[in-house]
Amino acid sequence: MSIDMYLPSLPALQHHFGASTAAAQFTLSAFFLGLAVGQALYGPLADRHGRRPPLLAGIALYVVASLGCALAPTIEALTALRFLQAMGGCAGVVIARAVVRDLYEPQAAARMLSLLMLVMGVAPILAPLAGGAILVWAGWRWIFVALALFGLLCLAGVSLGLAETRPAHTVRLSLAGSLRLFGALARDRRFLGPALTGALSQAGMFAYISGSPFVFIQVHGVPA
């Protein structure tokens, strides 16, 4: 939702701030960068401190950053806040999968992970429609207000409905120890082949996501 809901507003952002197309698109690139950095951190944090604390902290950061995006005075401030929004939001991306592995045996976990992927597949379809409607009726800033409210619902759901799920036998590596493991993976050719295949296919999709609003809205005249 955080990626796709504000896509229809990219040309409006460019016009509002008097920025270039590249500067408006970089608000999305900054989000992807935060998503990448954050995913490398939350795994070790969730193994070391439990699932709930980093998840609650991440969602809280997401809510604050989303409100900051709604109030951003410049395109540069919006770009920085989008990075922080991603750093908070990707706690859910990482830790939700860890919780599934904590709670379910392999076959049941596969079904639950498929359900998670279904939810993540529906969101990119519905989010731009919702974002376009909000943009037309209330303006681009209210898209981020809606995302902040969505984050508050997630925060309430985790606070009230999710107990700690980390197994007692989980290995608690330090962040430095986890980074050393990442280095070992980066030298493993059996890992790099599938990882690069997935990364390059995702890169193509994200390039489309970044460029398509300007093509549809400004070139082809499709309403937001």
Side-chain angles (χ1 to χ4, degrees), residues 179-188:
L179 291 176
R180 283 195 293 271
L181 287 178
F182 291 154
L185 279 175
R187 295 189 298 271
D188 187 337

Side-chain angles (χ1 to χ4, degrees), residues 15-160:
H15 177 75
H16 177 86
F17 290 116
S20 65
T21 299
Q25 289 176 323
F26 194 66
T27 62
L28 187 61
S29 301
F31 188 92
F32 293 147
L33 183 62
L35 202 63
V37 172
Q39 285 185 80
L41 298 177
Y42 281 110
L45 288 174
D47 285 343
R48 188 168 182 80
H49 301 291
R51 311 308 190 206
R52 275 176 57 90
L55 183 56
L56 289 168
I59 299 174
L61 174 60
Y62 173 87
V63 171
V64 172
S66 296
L67 289 174
C69 289
L71 300 171
T74 64
I75 193 72
E76 292 81 12
L78 179 62
T79 300
L81 287 161
R82 283 287 284 170
F83 177 85
L84 292 177
Q85 187 190 37
M87 285 286 290
C90 69
V93 175
V94 174
I95 298 175
R97 289 165 170 77
V99 169
V100 169
R101 290 194 297 272
D102 293 342
L103 295 177
Y104 297 95
E105 295 299 320
Q107 282 190 321
R111 288 194 294 270
M112 288 303 299
L113 289 170
S114 296
L115 184 60
L116 281 178
M117 291 304 298
L118 175 64
V119 173
M120 292 184 68
V122 170
I125 298 172
L126 300 180
L129 300 176
I134 294 172
L135 175 65
V136 169
W137 290 104
W140 66 266
R141 294 185 186 274
W142 284 93
I143 294 174
F144 292 105
V145 174
L147 289 173
L149 293 173
F150 173 70
L152 284 174
L153 287 175
C154 293
L155 193 64
V158 172
S159 300
L160 300 175

Side-chain angles (χ1 to χ4, degrees), residues 44-50 166-175 178:
L45 288 174
D47 285 343
R48 188 168 182 80
H49 301 291
R166 184 190 62 185
H169 57 76
T170 301
V171 177
R172 303 185 185 186
L173 289 175
S174 66
L175 186 58
S178 298

